Amino acid sequence: MCRTLTAFPTTCLERAKEFKTRLGIFLHKSEPGSDTGSVAKFEWGSKHSKERNFSEDVLGWRESFDLLLSSKNGVAAFHAFLKTEFSEENLEFWLACEEFKKIRSATKLASRAHRIFEEFICSEAPKEVNIDHETRELTRMNLQAATATCFDAAQGKTRTLMEKDSYPRFLKSPTYRDLAAQASAASASLSSCSSAEPSRT
C-alpha cells in the first residue's frame, strides 16, 4: 500500500513534483483561447497513491487506443496533441457523440443532434470532421428521427481515422515518449522509496 506524502524522503517527493510539472507543461501545449469545454480536464490527485496510479495510466495509453480513450487524462493529453496537428475536431466530435448517447429526453436528443450536426457534420461546419459524402448524408437522414444511434456511422469513421492515423503519431511524438519515460522513472522511484522506507511497528 502507498504511504502518505509526508512519509517519503524529500528526493522522492521532488521526483514526483518534477513529473507533475512535466505533465502540466505537456497538457498545456495547446493553443490558448480554444474551446475545449467537451474535453476532460487533466486531473492530478493530491495523494501519493494517485501519483503511482497516474504513472501507470500514462504507460497504459500505449497499450491500446481504448485505454487512452477510457482515461480522462489520456483524452486531455491526446486532445493537446491533436491541437498541434489542427485535428482536434475529430476527438471533440467523438466525445460529443459519447455524451449524446447518455441523453434520455427525446426532445433534448433531437435538439442536441441538430447542434452536433451543425457543428461537426454539415458542409463548412466550424469543426467539420473528415468523413465521406455517403456517411454525411446517412447522418443527415438519421436526424429526421433522431435516436441515440444516429451518429454511430460518423463516429465510427472518425474513431477509425484517429486510431489508424493520429494515435500512432501521438505515441511516437517526442512529447509522449518523454512523458512515458518520466512516468516509468517516477513509478520506479516511488516503488524504490516505498520499499526503502523503514517499517513501523
Side-chain angles (χ1 to χ4, degrees), residues 43-180:
E43 294 181 353
W44 181 268
S46 59
K47 295 185 178 179
H48 202 74
S49 60
K50 293 205 174 174
E51 292 168 8
R52 184 189 303 277
N53 290 340
F54 190 78
S55 295
E56 295 171 354
D57 189 25
V58 170
L59 297 175
W61 301 344
R62 61 190 177 195
E63 298 301 319
S64 76
F65 192 48
D66 285 329
L67 283 177
L68 176 69
L69 291 180
S70 65
S71 161
K72 288 184 178 180
N73 292 314
V75 168
F78 189 48
H79 184 258
F81 169 76
L82 291 177
K83 292 188 83 168
T84 68
E85 296 197 332
F86 305 100
S87 60
E88 68 271 19
E89 70 279 353
N90 293 322
L91 180 60
E92 291 176 11
F93 170 64
W94 186 88
L95 290 169
C97 290
E98 289 298 289
E99 288 301 311
F100 174 76
K101 293 174 185 176
K102 299 175 184 177
I103 298 174
R104 293 294 172 260
S105 165
T107 303
K108 289 182 179 179
L109 198 72
S111 174
R112 182 59 182 151
H114 282 87
R115 286 207 304 273
I116 292 175
F117 187 85
E118 292 297 323
E119 185 175 7
F120 297 102
I121 304 295
C122 71
S123 298
E124 299 184 7
K127 297 181 180 180
E128 185 178 354
V129 294
N130 184 18
I131 57 174
D132 58 86
H133 177 72
E134 290 75 12
T135 303
R136 193 184 311 278
E137 288 307 306
L138 172 62
T139 305
R140 188 192 305 277
M141 291 177 61
N142 288 343
L143 257 63
Q144 294 176 12
T147 66
T149 62
C150 66
F151 291 108
D152 280 5
Q155 186 186 19
K157 292 287 180 69
T158 304
R159 186 193 186 285
T160 299
L161 180 64
M162 289 192 293
E163 184 174 16
K164 294 185 179 301
D165 187 38
S166 304
Y167 175 58
R169 288 202 303 276
F170 169 69
L171 296 181
K172 292 176 183 177
S173 68
T175 308
Y176 175 72
R177 290 163 70 96
D178 184 51
L179 189 63

Side-chain angles (χ1 to χ4, degrees), residues 28-40:
H28 287 90
K29 277 180 177 279
S30 56
E31 295 179 11
S34 296
D35 178 20
T36 58
S38 62
V39 179

